[in-house]
Amino acid sequence: MQETPEQRVHRSYERLKDWKNNPRFQKRRTSLGYLIFPIFDFMIPERDPERLGAEWFERECGKTPEAKWRAEHEIDFSAALGGLVYPTFDIRRDILLYPIKPQKHWLFGIAIDPGVTVTAALISCLSDTGYAFHLAEYYEGTIVGEKEDKSAYRHATALISRLQIIVDEIWGFDDSGRSLMPWDKVFRTQLLDPSSWRREGSSDEGESVAKRYIDAGFDYLEKGIKDIDGGIQRVHEWEIRSVENEHPNIGVMDWTNPPIGWPKKFVNPNLPNYIAEKLRYHYDKGGNKPEKDQMDHLCDCERTILAH
């Protein structure tokens, strides 16, 4: 007797009940020597079995080639791929233990990548001593049930709300509870992916995703860079370690500077999608260009804002 879809789903979920005992989701040491915790799987939403259920679990754990599994789940990114774009990125050195508190006189900016399925943005600042900090991320899917143009406008308004919250945390409120500083007086650097300035198949820049962001209130919006290789090189420059650099958490934690030093760019700990993308962002098999069709929205944003 052929198994019904309902029986198949029930059987899959029965198998899923004991997923925590599966060795793929236990604390483990990879072939490169990294100690991996389950959080590295959970911080990537599309790889969380509790969110996507048994069908995902069967497909990924049962049918995914071992090389691809190692590349995507065990941070062995060189497996059957072209190698990492940012091999020196290290969560132990580049990610802050305690979020940085920006100062009012620092420079603030945002880079936005309105993708087809995901709209991503990286909110960053530059200190007066020349350090760059990624403060927060925005990583949301298309607004369900909305047309593309309306979805872009709503992403823009959601981003404005997020930016105002960040500004309020720094400048505060007056006695009546009103914001002391509007967001657009602080975030003067507003960068949007170049492809968003022209509707596909049209040369009319007046009808574009960029226009919808401008209509929502992004009055200082500019085109981001197109130079992928140059942008990657700029990110590498920010991540060069030097013994002359200081870690922002020194004084809070009893640390000493490592022999190779610290970078000039740090990341707040509450950016899980950025961290996940950064750790697996890889070149194609030829090793010349980043692999197409990988989750790289926030890596694009970082390249845009650090090269601006």
mmCIF file of all heavy atoms in Angstrom, residues 27 90 96 110 169 268:
data_model
loop_
_atom_site.group_PDB
_atom_site.id
_atom_site.type_symbol
_atom_site.label_atom_id
_atom_site.label_comp_id
_atom_site.label_asym_id
_atom_site.label_seq_id
_atom_site.Cartn_x
_atom_site.Cartn_y
_atom_site.Cartn_z
ATOM 1 N N LYS A 27 28.001 19.307 19.420
ATOM 2 C CA LYS A 27 29.261 20.031 19.458
ATOM 3 C C LYS A 27 30.340 19.138 18.842
ATOM 4 O O LYS A 27 30.461 17.975 19.198
ATOM 5 C CB LYS A 27 29.614 20.363 20.901
ATOM 6 C CG LYS A 27 30.845 21.266 21.051
ATOM 7 C CD LYS A 27 31.264 21.364 22.498
ATOM 8 C CE LYS A 27 30.154 21.853 23.383
ATOM 9 N NZ LYS A 27 30.612 22.002 24.794
ATOM 10 N N ASP A 90 37.605 36.061 11.591
ATOM 11 C CA ASP A 90 37.639 35.166 12.749
ATOM 12 C C ASP A 90 36.655 35.690 13.791
ATOM 13 O O ASP A 90 36.812 36.819 14.277
ATOM 14 C CB ASP A 90 39.057 35.123 13.326
ATOM 15 C CG ASP A 90 39.219 34.057 14.402
ATOM 16 O OD1 ASP A 90 38.203 33.653 15.001
ATOM 17 O OD2 ASP A 90 40.363 33.630 14.641
ATOM 18 N N LEU A 96 32.644 41.548 18.488
ATOM 19 C CA LEU A 96 32.751 42.098 19.832
ATOM 20 C C LEU A 96 31.993 41.239 20.835
ATOM 21 O O LEU A 96 30.948 40.672 20.512
ATOM 22 C CB LEU A 96 32.190 43.519 19.867
ATOM 23 C CG LEU A 96 32.909 44.565 19.007
ATOM 24 C CD1 LEU A 96 32.157 45.885 19.051
ATOM 25 C CD2 LEU A 96 34.339 44.755 19.468
ATOM 26 N N ILE A 110 24.464 53.694 6.112
ATOM 27 C CA ILE A 110 23.721 52.462 5.874
ATOM 28 C C ILE A 110 23.879 52.072 4.406
ATOM 29 O O ILE A 110 23.872 52.930 3.514
ATOM 30 C CB ILE A 110 22.222 52.621 6.235
ATOM 31 C CG1 ILE A 110 21.470 51.314 5.973
ATOM 32 C CG2 ILE A 110 21.584 53.783 5.484
ATOM 33 C CD1 ILE A 110 20.028 51.323 6.467
ATOM 34 N N GLU A 169 18.820 55.868 20.877
ATOM 35 C CA GLU A 169 19.669 55.270 21.912
ATOM 36 C C GLU A 169 20.902 56.120 22.195
ATOM 37 O O GLU A 169 21.461 56.054 23.294
ATOM 38 C CB GLU A 169 20.103 53.861 21.479
ATOM 39 C CG GLU A 169 18.974 52.838 21.480
ATOM 40 C CD GLU A 169 19.415 51.482 20.963
ATOM 41 O OE1 GLU A 169 20.511 51.420 20.353
ATOM 42 O OE2 GLU A 169 18.683 50.503 21.160
ATOM 43 N N ASN A 268 29.328 44.164 15.950
ATOM 44 C CA ASN A 268 28.527 43.904 17.142
ATOM 45 C C ASN A 268 28.060 42.447 17.140
ATOM 46 O O ASN A 268 27.869 41.853 16.070
ATOM 47 C CB ASN A 268 27.323 44.845 17.201
ATOM 48 C CG ASN A 268 27.653 46.168 17.869
ATOM 49 O OD1 ASN A 268 28.736 46.335 18.427
ATOM 50 N ND2 ASN A 268 26.738 47.112 17.806
#
